[in-house]
Amino acid sequence: MSSVAVLTPESFAEHRSGLKDQEITGCVPEDEAYIPTYLEAFPPLPEKGAPGEKAGEPVSAWGSRIRPIKASVITQVFHVPLEERRYKDNSQFGEGEEAKVCLDIMQRTGAHIELSLAKDQGLSIMVTGKLDSVMKARKEIVARLQTQASATVAIPKEHHRFVIGKNGEKLQELELKTATKIAIPRPDDPSANIRITGTKEGIEKARHEILLISAEQDKRAVERLSLEKAFHPFIAGAHNRLVQELSQETGARISIPPPSLPKDEIVITGEKEAVALALNRIRAIYDDKKRKTTTISVEVKKSQHKYIIGPKGNTLQEILETTGVSVEMPPLDSSSETIILRGEPDKLGPALTQVYAKAKSVMVVEVTAPAWLHRFIIGKKGQNIGRITQQLPRVHIEFTDGEERISLEGPTEEVEQAQTQIQEIIKDLLVRMDYTEVIIDQRFHRHLIGKNGANINRIKEQYKVSVRIPQDSERSGLVRIEGDPKGVQLARRELIEMVQRMENERTKDLIVEQKFHRTIIGQKGEKIKEVRDKFPEVIINFPDPAQKSDIVQLRGPKNEVEKCAKFLQKIIADLIENSFSLSVPIFKQFHKNIIGKGGANIKKIREETNTKIDLPTENSNSEMIVITGKKSNCEAARDRILAIQRELANIKETEVTIPAKLHNSLIGSKGCLVRSIMEDCGGVHIHFPSEGSGSDKVTIRGPAGEVEKAKKQLLQLAEEKQVNNFTAELQAKPEYHKFLIGRGGANIRRVRDRTGARIIFPSPDDTEQELITIVGKEEAVRQAQKELESLVKNLDDVVEDSMVVDIRHHRHFVCRRGQVLRELAEEYGGVAVSFPRTGTNSQRVTLKGAKDCVEAAKKRIQEIIEDLESQVSVEVAIPQRYHRAIMGPKGCRIQHITREHEVQIKFPERDDGAPPQENGEVSPDAEFVPRKCDIITISGRAEKCELAKAALLALVPITEDVEVSYELHRYIIGQKGSGIRKMMEEYEVNIWVPQPEKQLDVIKVTGLVANVERAKLGLLERVKELQAEQEDRALRSFKVTMSVDPKFHPKIIGRKGAVISQIRKDHDVSIQFPDKGDEQQDLIVISGYERNVEEARQAIQLLVAELQEMVSQEVHLDPRTHARIIGARGKAIRKLMEEFKVDIRFPQPGSDEPDKVTVMGLPETVDNAIDHLLNLEEEYVSSQCRKSHTHFQVSAVSWSKGFVVRDAPWNAAGNKAPDMSSAEDFPTFGTGVALKQTSVWGPKNELNLGFLSS
């Protein structure tokens, strides 16, 4: 944006008068008009970087000279003589090894290197770059382009470390500076020679520097002075003042070992003269004290020594300062009570007095009181003991847990007073109070407490007693009752009666599949609430979903538990009956018809058949409708849905006969073949019979035309499979089948691998149990058939054989109704194994069957015998309540262990009379007494049994209690339980948080040992985080209320809250102003950290103090000037207020006094602002007056010559002054004029100057 300045004769005269003293060198009479030169009126801009400019040159009219910035790039030039050049025979300079070396150094260091050859064939090298890069490059150039020499310099071994410097910094600096390599011998090397490698010049420089360092160290000295330890305090002086003064006076450093260090040696270091001076001074002090001082010994109780020593030994220093006597204390770990005072004889008396005074200044007394009375002596929230400590603040009272004593420490008189008061409290309490202890099993504790502490609080209020029940983490059953003697006995009786009632309870476990749990509980627990209302005395506990357990636990009175169990079993039976599921394929386009308008059709079918019918979502590709309920009802619903589909379209259903052996090949991998036919034929449904049914019928359903097309494709595909699949059949007795298959399918797998044919044995449901089918290529089938026939023929060759089996093993084979023998017969082709009758004492066992089968059976029997002979039985004691959890769903965990470790595991019979257990808590070994029903027996090889035992113990769940403040529970649970779920998934445990109304400070974690430990650590880590957050919130909650006159509130808040927002931001606090309806309109509340709150309060007080100093003045301004002063959107007035630091208020439209403007601020700023406003008003009014004249005349006398300057460019020869009347030289605003020629003003650009607003 351009601006226009109008220079009148008056303003120019003012300008000239202002410049007289500074720039006008000539002096003319005042009555003569001064004509300035062109350079004076229009001074030229300074030229950038004008050469020859010096620091002493005068400053130009346009400003001060700019200070130059020192460059960070340096240049170093050095010379390599011809005789020291490493590469001398280059055919052409700049192309040999020297150039390659320089290029490599430039890349590695980043410095720029230039080489040049001098007349004497020496090498001149210029290195440019940053200081660090130049120094590194120079070092490498010297090492690689200059021949290297070496020299040694010998200095004392103790000076080597000063050459190396801290962390080797001095040595590195020296090497860079001299461009040499300096090798210093290791500390264990006796040599004192330092080797320097580099150029001759560099070696000389390095040698010089090393000798300088050594010479500097030669000037220093170290003296070690051994003086008796007892005289060290006199040399050091009180608070080490004497030794500090010696150091300052002599300049030497004096090190005296501390009293705790048993050393006599004083070390003095520094310049030789200073060390000698300090040494003489110390010897003089020692000799003087040795001659003048004597000692006395006193016995003081060991417990009082600490009072003589004082904090950090200050008391000893005070005695030394006031009396000049040193007090020597025995070590704290020594049993000696002797204290030695050393000093001049006349001063030992006062020092001894001070020692005794300090020793007896503090008294320690013990008061005997029963440990259970301690908390009553302390009082609620420390009220009783607080009264004593307020009266006697210098007395320290200490209670020790579990001990019947109270320690009092402090000044003698005050301790005696405190002792008397505490003894009176104890005497009073012993008269009024009594206590008793009763052992109650820990599992009953939470029932004694009751919901939200209801039971225990009632007992406390009724009998006026205090009942202390230990935390679960304490693993203690000791309950303590304290209070009025009569109330204690009554409360004890009631607690025992409650326990006896609870011992009559029993616990029963119901096995309910987990999928039914949510149905039994119902939405929001409505259904289970009905059951609980029906059996209010029974507690029903469902397992956590994450545990995937099927055990539902019932606990309560025996009869009620039985009734509740029967009721729940009936509900479960109904659920199982109603959980039959059926899937019906229905074409997608008919789903909306099955649903009906507003769901009428589907609702009717559901109600009439009493089933649950689920349809796929609209955007799903599935066509299956799932029906759930009783089997008969599901089938009825299916028929009705299919009938609707048949009515809606020309749906045809046909059956195709395809041999069952081809079904799998027609279906294809994951149904890919049959799916391709269905998609190709308009989405028809093709249904194959279930595997093993033996049916050859394949059902095709869909539109008539598409069904025929699908039938044709299916038969064609079956024919292709038939051609490639040759089939043969073989007859073999069913008892041979398992032997032919072999153990784990080994035999039949060998036949398949050799021939490539597929061999299909009949399923148990097949009618033809002897028929074996062989499928594959004809050649492969024939070969497999031949091998199988040979095996069967051998099996038909019956032989009889016998073997000897020890009598003690017979029972294993014939027990459990001969199960082992049956397994042998099934596995080895029906071989008959006969053991002698019991009591015959015969060891002969007869085997009859096919030769191969008999041999295999004998081998297997021998293996079993070997296992039995090496078999042991191991008993594992695990509480019965964990047996179901160890077994797992349907015994899967036990089956896995028996298979993996090849052992037998026997669980004991369940003892229903066992006392009920809760929460899965594992008691310590000392408390757990195994019963018969707790013993699990493992049989098998010894090593396998041990592995199985470890596996069983690892499955025992444990429950650990973690102490977590009740206030933190909701944060641990997280939003909608997300926090607790995440922890349970992460650690694979169940975490139980008590109900909010219980307000318990404990969280239970259940699971495997390793998982529980991980979960505990994770939980405690989370608690730490939450506690840190709580502490931070507590610190931030500090509040201060301050009173501020409401009239200052808007100023404190500032425009759009700018001022108060800045205070909040600067001090990190919250500041609340009163609402309009509040009674106390002057109160401002500040909250945050205490320090920040105080700073914010001071900032507001400072602001208020400034506001109180402000004054308000009114000024009358022409209303026509208001808009001009305010400016567009208040920009001008805001700038003015910021400049003068005032607040300016203009009258509202329609005001009685439209010209009254209020200015508020500090007195001096208000006056300045008013003056400025009046000037603005005057300027605006005068400009308005000038505009009101259509023409104005310029005085011929004053403007006859116009504005004249001397030595102007247009006065030069050949130039013409611009014509002021010419529209070309001085164009009018708003018109565009084409400029034809170039004037002395410079090249003329075509401008289109628009309207310039005032």
Side-chain angles (χ1 to χ4, degrees):
M1 181 178 176
S2 301
S3 62
V4 178
V6 180
L7 188 62
T8 64
E10 293 83 0
S11 60
F12 176 72
E14 291 175 10
H15 172 68
R16 188 185 66 172
S17 63
L19 293 174
K20 277 181 183 178
D21 297 332
Q22 298 176 16
E23 296 182 353
I24 301 172
T25 56
C27 187
V28 296
E30 290 183 6
D31 56 335
E32 292 186 19
Y34 174 76
I35 300 174
T37 64
Y38 180 81
L39 289 176
E40 286 174 342
F42 305 102
L45 292 169
E47 291 182 19
K48 183 178 179 183
E53 185 179 350
K54 297 179 182 176
E57 289 179 354
V59 177
S60 73
W62 297 100
S64 62
R65 186 173 148 273
I66 298 172
R67 182 180 297 174
I69 298 171
K70 188 178 179 181
S72 61
V73 175
I74 66 164
T75 300
Q76 279 196 7
V77 180
F78 54 97
H79 188 71
V80 179
L82 173 63
E83 62 273 12
E84 292 184 14
R85 282 180 62 187
R86 181 166 288 183
Y87 307 101
K88 301 176 185 177
D89 53 350
N90 290 338
S91 58
Q92 189 171 351
F93 179 72
E95 293 183 357
E97 287 298 321
E98 286 174 339
K100 291 178 182 176
V101 168
C102 287
L103 188 62
D104 180 49
I105 294 170
M106 283 196 292
Q107 288 174 347
R108 289 170 58 170
T109 63
H112 179 70
I113 302 170
E114 292 183 16
L115 299 179
S116 61
L117 206 60
K119 288 181 181 180
D120 60 356
Q121 296 299 304
L123 202 62
S124 290
I125 304 167
M126 184 168 72
V127 187
T128 306
K130 292 191 177 179
L131 178 62
D132 186 43
S133 301
V134 168
M135 297 303 287
K136 287 180 181 176
R138 180 169 178 260
K139 185 180 176 183
E140 285 207 37
I141 288 167
V142 168
R144 296 171 68 178
L145 294 185
Q146 203 165 353
T147 55
Q148 301 290 294
S150 65
T152 58
V153 58
I155 63 171
K157 188 80 175 175
E158 58 268 21
H159 295 175
H160 285 193
R161 62 191 183 95
F162 298 104
V163 177
I164 296 168
K166 189 178 181 182
N167 299 325
E169 290 174 1
K170 183 73 176 176
L171 183 61
Q172 290 174 13
E173 183 188 341
L174 199 56
E175 286 181 335
L176 274 176
K177 186 177 176 182
T178 61
T180 58
K181 177 68 179 173
I182 301 170
I184 296 176
R186 296 176 63 83
D188 52 1
D189 188 343
S191 173
N193 291 334
I194 297 173
R195 178 169 291 277
I196 309 167
T197 306
T199 64
K200 289 180 182 179
E201 183 188 355
I203 289 170
E204 286 304 316
K205 285 183 180 178
R207 188 171 179 278
H208 176 69
E209 292 289 339
I210 291 169
L211 290 172
L212 276 178
I213 293 168
S214 180
E216 182 69 26
Q217 295 307 315
D218 278 335
K219 295 178 183 177
R220 301 183 64 80
V222 178
E223 284 290 343
R224 301 178 186 276
L225 187 62
S226 288
L227 301 176
E228 289 178 58
K229 185 81 176 176
F231 291 94
H232 286 194
F234 298 110
I235 296 165
H239 303 289
N240 289 323
R241 290 196 191 108
L242 184 56
V243 76
Q244 288 170 8
E245 288 172 7
L246 274 174
S247 292
Q248 288 174 359
E249 288 174 14
T250 62
R253 183 180 174 189
I254 303 168
S255 177
I256 298 175
S260 58
L261 194 65
K263 284 180 68 177
D264 293 339
E265 191 176 72
I266 296 173
V267 180
I268 311 166
T269 57
E271 299 289 338
K272 288 182 179 179
E273 297 80 0
V275 168
L277 183 60
L279 184 66
N280 293 333
R281 293 283 298 277
I282 291 170
R283 280 193 180 280
I285 294 169
Y286 171 72
D287 293 341
D288 180 62
K289 293 297 178 184
K290 181 88 174 171
R291 189 177 63 256
K292 291 182 179 179
T293 59
T294 184
T295 61
I296 59 169
S297 300
V298 294
E299 297 289 324
V300 177
K301 286 183 182 179
K302 191 74 177 179
S303 59
Q304 294 176 320
H305 284 199
K306 59 183 177 179
Y307 308 121
I308 298 169
I309 295 169
K312 297 181 181 180
N314 284 341
T315 305
L316 295 178
Q317 297 295 326
E318 287 172 10
I319 294 171
L320 179 61
E321 185 176 19
T322 55
T323 65
V325 174
S326 168
V327 181
E328 298 169 20
M329 306 294 298
L332 291 175
D333 54 357
S334 164
S335 59
S336 173
E337 295 184 341
T338 305
I339 297 173
I340 299 170
L341 280 73
R342 187 183 302 272
E344 296 178 14
D346 58 333
K347 294 179 181 177
L348 287 174
L352 184 61
T353 304
Q354 285 196 34
V355 166
Y356 278 124
K358 295 292 182 183
K360 295 183 178 180
S361 63
V362 177
M363 179 182 183
V364 179
V365 172
E366 288 187 356
V367 178
T368 303
W372 66 272
L373 268 185
H374 284 190
R375 65 193 190 92
F376 297 103
I377 296 168
I378 294 167
K380 193 174 182 181
K381 295 183 180 179
Q383 286 178 351
N384 296 345
I385 213 70
R387 282 196 293 270
I388 297 172
T389 53
Q390 283 175 5
Q391 292 173 9
L392 310 165
R394 289 190 291 171
V395 176
H396 174 68
I397 303 172
E398 184 178 347
F399 292 81
T400 308
D401 285 343
E403 294 187 16
E404 298 191 343
R405 61 187 179 85
I406 303 167
S407 299
L408 286 77
E409 183 179 328
T412 306
E413 292 181 4
E414 292 190 8
V415 166
E416 289 173 352
Q417 291 180 38
Q419 182 182 7
T420 305
Q421 292 184 31
I422 289 174
Q423 285 173 341
E424 287 175 359
I425 293 171
I426 294 167
K427 187 177 179 181
D428 177 60
L429 287 171
L430 288 172
V431 172
R432 294 190 295 105
M433 305 290 287
D434 191 10
Y435 80 96
T436 186
E437 293 177 341
V438 56
I439 302 294
I440 297 174
D441 197 313
Q442 196 176 2
R443 68 178 189 273
F444 298 134
H445 287 184
R446 65 191 186 95
H447 303 292
L448 293 177
I449 294 167
K451 191 174 182 180
N452 294 330
N455 295 343
I456 206 70
N457 288 337
R458 178 185 57 77
I459 291 171
K460 286 178 180 178
E461 290 175 11
Q462 186 175 346
Y463 302 115
K464 307 297 181 190
V465 294
S466 171
V467 182
R468 295 187 69 247
I469 298 175
Q471 296 287 335
D472 290 347
S473 57
E474 293 178 28
R475 306 278 183 189
S476 170
L478 189 67
V479 176
R480 189 183 185 93
I481 310 166
E482 302 163 350
D484 177 70
K486 186 178 179 181
V488 166
Q489 293 305 318
L490 292 171
R492 180 178 183 277
R493 187 188 306 161
E494 182 163 344
L495 286 176
I496 291 170
E497 287 174 358
M498 288 173 70
V499 171
Q500 287 172 349
R501 285 200 302 272
M502 284 186 281
E503 283 177 340
N504 188 38
E505 289 184 349
R506 69 161 292 184
T507 302
K508 184 166 186 175
D509 292 342
L510 288 181
I511 305 299
V512 182
E513 286 187 66
Q514 195 178 27
K515 64 182 180 181
F516 296 130
H517 289 187
R518 289 184 66 181
T519 312
I520 296 169
I521 293 168
Q523 192 174 10
K524 296 182 180 179
E526 291 173 357
K527 291 186 178 178
I528 198 66
K529 188 176 182 296
E530 292 174 7
V531 178
R532 284 172 174 152
D533 291 344
K534 190 169 184 177
F535 302 99
E537 295 181 55
V538 179
I539 297 170
I540 306 170
N541 289 325
F542 284 85
D544 191 273
Q547 287 183 310
K548 296 183 179 178
S549 170
D550 295 337
I551 299 172
V552 177
Q553 193 180 70
L554 310 179
R555 190 178 72 249
K558 187 174 180 180
N559 294 337
E560 289 296 309
V561 166
E562 289 298 332
K563 289 178 186 176
C564 183
K566 287 180 181 177
F567 183 79
L568 285 174
Q569 283 168 346
K570 186 180 177 183
I571 292 173
I572 294 160
D574 291 342
L575 286 173
I576 293 170
E577 187 181 358
N578 291 321
S579 63
F580 180 78
S581 184
L582 199 64
S583 296
V584 186
I586 300 294
F587 292 104
K588 194 78 174 179
Q589 62 265 35
F590 301 134
H591 283 199
K592 60 182 179 181
N593 304 95
I594 289 166
I595 294 169
K597 191 174 182 180
N601 293 349
I602 198 74
K603 187 178 179 183
K604 187 178 180 183
I605 296 170
R606 283 170 177 160
E607 289 174 354
E608 291 180 0
T609 60
N610 194 24
T611 56
K612 180 186 176 187
I613 303 172
D614 295 317
L615 285 88
T617 57
E618 193 173 344
N619 55 358
S620 169
N621 294 325
S622 174
E623 294 183 337
M624 289 293 179
I625 295 177
V626 181
I627 308 168
T628 308
K630 290 184 180 179
K631 186 176 180 181
S632 56
N633 294 349
C634 289
E635 289 171 349
R638 179 190 61 185
D639 294 341
R640 291 184 63 171
I641 289 170
L642 289 172
I644 294 171
Q645 182 179 240
R646 281 195 294 272
E647 290 172 8
L648 292 168
N650 181 20
I651 301 299
K652 182 181 177 182
E653 186 175 302
T654 186
E655 290 183 347
V656 184
T657 302
I658 298 174
K661 61 189 177 184
L662 296 177
H663 288 185
N664 283 342
S665 60
L666 291 175
I667 293 167
S669 177
K670 297 182 180 179
C672 61
L673 290 178
V674 75
R675 194 159 55 247
S676 67
I677 296 172
M678 289 193 290
E679 290 171 358
D680 191 40
C681 300
V684 296
H685 293 135
I686 301 174
H687 176 68
F688 285 85
S690 58
E691 195 173 356
S693 65
S695 173
D696 294 338
K697 303 293 182 185
V698 179
T699 306
I700 307 171
R701 186 170 63 250
E706 300 297 338
V707 166
E708 290 301 321
K709 184 180 176 183
K711 180 180 177 182
K712 186 177 178 181
Q713 286 192 23
L714 199 59
L715 289 171
Q716 186 180 351
L717 186 61
E719 189 177 345
E720 290 174 4
K721 295 287 181 185
Q722 191 87 26
V723 172
N724 293 328
N725 283 352
F726 183 78
T727 305
E729 293 179 347
L730 179 70
Q731 295 285 337
K733 292 178 182 177
E735 56 265 29
Y736 294 165
H737 289 187
K738 280 199 174 182
F739 181 76
L740 292 172
I741 293 167
R743 199 169 187 184
N747 296 343
I748 205 67
R749 198 180 299 114
R750 281 197 295 271
V751 176
R752 283 176 180 168
D753 292 344
R754 280 198 299 269
T755 63
R758 186 181 174 207
I759 303 164
I760 304 168
F761 285 84
S763 67
D765 299 330
D766 288 345
T767 51
E768 292 287 341
Q769 287 293 306
E770 293 188 357
L771 192 67
I772 300 172
T773 307
I774 309 169
V775 181
K777 291 184 180 179
E778 186 175 356
E779 185 182 349
V781 168
R782 295 294 184 197
Q783 186 182 348
Q785 185 180 13
K786 188 177 179 182
E787 287 192 22
L788 287 173
E789 283 174 348
S790 174
L791 286 170
V792 170
K793 187 177 179 181
N794 290 337
L795 292 173
D796 287 336
D797 184 14
V798 177
V799 296
E800 186 173 292
D801 200 354
S802 65
M803 65 184 295
V804 175
V805 177
D806 197 308
I807 292 173
R808 70 178 186 273
H809 299 315
H810 288 194
R811 188 173 181 278
H812 174 77
F813 289 95
V814 299
C815 69
R816 289 176 293 173
R817 299 182 182 180
Q819 183 179 342
V820 177
L821 296 179
R822 284 201 304 276
E823 290 173 357
L824 285 169
E826 288 173 8
E827 192 170 351
Y828 298 104
V831 66
V833 184
S834 300
F835 277 74
R837 291 181 180 275
T838 307
T840 59
N841 291 328
S842 172
Q843 296 183 357
R844 186 180 179 82
V845 177
T846 306
L847 295 90
K848 187 176 182 180
K851 187 178 180 180
D852 292 345
C853 295
V854 167
E855 290 300 321
K858 282 175 69 178
K859 187 178 179 182
R860 176 62 185 145
I861 289 170
Q862 199 61 44
E863 288 174 2
I864 292 170
I865 290 167
E866 287 176 5
D867 283 340
L868 289 171
E869 285 177 346
S870 62
Q871 198 172 69
V872 296
S873 290
V874 174
E875 292 184 345
V876 186
I878 296 175
Q880 180 181 311
R881 61 181 178 274
Y882 300 135
H883 288 188
R884 286 189 184 276
I886 292 169
M887 289 179 187
K890 299 180 181 178
C892 64
R893 292 176 183 160
I894 289 301
Q895 290 167 15
H896 175 71
I897 293 172
T898 54
R899 280 198 306 270
E900 185 178 356
H901 302 292
E902 298 177 353
V903 295
Q904 296 294 322
I905 299 175
K906 183 181 178 184
F907 280 77
E909 294 295 326
R910 187 170 179 81
D911 183 6
D912 289 335
Q917 302 287 343
E918 292 182 10
N919 299 329
E921 294 171 359
V922 178
S923 303
D925 292 341
E927 296 180 12
F928 173 57
V929 180
R931 299 168 298 155
K932 188 177 179 181
C933 61
D934 297 327
I935 305 299
I936 299 171
T937 307
I938 308 171
S939 303
R941 289 182 180 271
E943 63 274 18
K944 299 283 181 74
C945 287
E946 289 302 320
L947 292 171
K949 179 181 177 181
L952 278 178
L953 292 171
L955 292 174
V956 177
I958 65 163
T959 298
E960 291 279 354
D961 293 343
V962 184
E963 274 200 61
V964 179
S965 174
Y966 160 75
E967 298 169 357
L968 300 179
H969 287 191
R970 61 195 182 100
Y971 302 108
I972 289 170
I973 293 168
Q975 192 174 13
K976 296 183 179 178
S978 59
I980 205 83
R981 272 200 306 275
K982 183 180 177 184
M983 292 186 76
M984 288 196 291
E985 289 168 7
E986 184 179 350
Y987 299 112
E988 297 179 352
V989 294
N990 178 40
I991 300 175
W992 178 80
V993 181
Q995 295 294 325
E997 56 269 14
K998 292 184 180 178
Q999 297 189 0
L1000 299 178
D1001 292 337
V1002 68
I1003 289 178
K1004 293 183 182 293
V1005 184
T1006 305
L1008 299 182
V1009 178
N1011 295 350
V1012 167
E1013 286 304 316
R1014 284 172 49 237
K1016 279 177 67 179
L1017 291 173
L1019 199 57
L1020 292 171
E1021 195 65 35
R1022 178 67 179 140
V1023 168
K1024 284 181 184 176
E1025 292 174 9
L1026 292 171
Q1027 285 173 343
E1029 291 173 10
Q1030 272 193 337
E1031 288 171 5
D1032 187 64
R1033 278 198 297 273
L1035 290 172
R1036 288 183 68 92
S1037 63
F1038 181 80
K1039 285 186 179 180
V1040 163
T1041 304
M1042 62 184 298
S1043 176
V1044 177
D1045 195 320
K1047 70 181 180 182
F1048 296 131
H1049 288 191
K1051 290 292 180 185
I1052 296 169
I1053 294 167
R1055 188 170 180 267
K1056 295 184 179 179
V1059 177
I1060 202 67
S1061 296
Q1062 191 61 41
I1063 294 173
R1064 287 170 178 152
K1065 183 180 176 182
D1066 290 348
H1067 303 288
D1068 189 24
V1069 294
S1070 173
I1071 302 172
Q1072 298 292 330
F1073 285 84
D1075 293 326
K1076 287 184 180 179
D1078 289 354
E1079 292 179 2
Q1080 296 177 315
Q1081 286 292 305
D1082 61 329
L1083 294 184
I1084 297 175
V1085 180
I1086 311 170
S1087 57
Y1089 294 113
E1090 185 174 356
R1091 180 181 173 186
N1092 295 358
V1093 166
E1094 189 59 31
E1095 289 174 356
R1097 186 172 69 85
Q1098 290 174 5
I1100 292 173
Q1101 286 176 341
L1102 192 64
L1103 192 58
V1104 170
E1106 290 178 5
L1107 292 171
Q1108 286 172 340
E1109 290 177 10
M1110 289 185 179
V1111 296
S1112 179
Q1113 287 189 31
E1114 293 175 354
V1115 60
H1116 294 276
L1117 300 178
D1118 192 322
R1120 293 176 297 169
T1121 64
H1122 290 190
R1124 174 74 177 274
I1125 294 168
I1126 292 168
R1129 297 184 180 178
K1131 189 175 180 181
I1133 196 67
R1134 278 199 301 276
K1135 187 177 178 183
L1136 197 148
M1137 288 193 290
E1138 288 171 7
E1139 183 180 349
F1140 290 94
K1141 302 291 187 294
V1142 294
D1143 186 33
I1144 302 173
R1145 300 290 177 188
F1146 286 84
Q1148 296 291 331
S1151 172
D1152 295 334
E1153 295 179 336
D1155 60 339
K1156 187 172 76 174
V1157 177
T1158 306
V1159 184
M1160 189 171 72
L1162 295 173
E1164 59 272 22
T1165 58
V1166 167
D1167 291 339
N1168 293 338
I1170 289 174
D1171 290 342
H1172 187 74
L1173 287 173
L1174 291 172
N1175 288 338
L1176 288 176
E1177 180 198 37
E1178 186 179 350
E1179 287 177 13
Y1180 184 73
V1181 171
S1182 64
S1183 67
Q1184 288 294 102
C1185 292
R1186 285 198 300 271
K1187 284 183 181 180
S1188 64
H1189 295 85
T1190 55
H1191 301 283
F1192 62 90
Q1193 299 292 329
V1194 180
S1195 171
V1197 177
S1198 59
W1199 286 96
S1200 59
K1201 294 181 181 179
F1203 175 57
V1204 180
V1205 293
R1206 294 180 288 120
D1207 303 329
W1210 53 81
N1211 292 336
N1215 288 335
K1216 182 185 175 184
D1219 185 2
M1220 292 178 63
S1221 62
S1222 169
E1224 186 178 325
D1225 288 342
F1226 294 95
T1228 306
F1229 292 146
T1231 62
V1233 180
L1235 306 178
K1236 297 176 182 178
Q1237 62 181 17
T1238 303
S1239 71
V1240 292
W1241 297 94
K1244 297 184 179 179
N1245 296 324
E1246 288 197 14
L1247 302 174
N1248 186 9
L1249 301 176
F1251 174 73
L1252 181 66
S1253 67
S1254 59

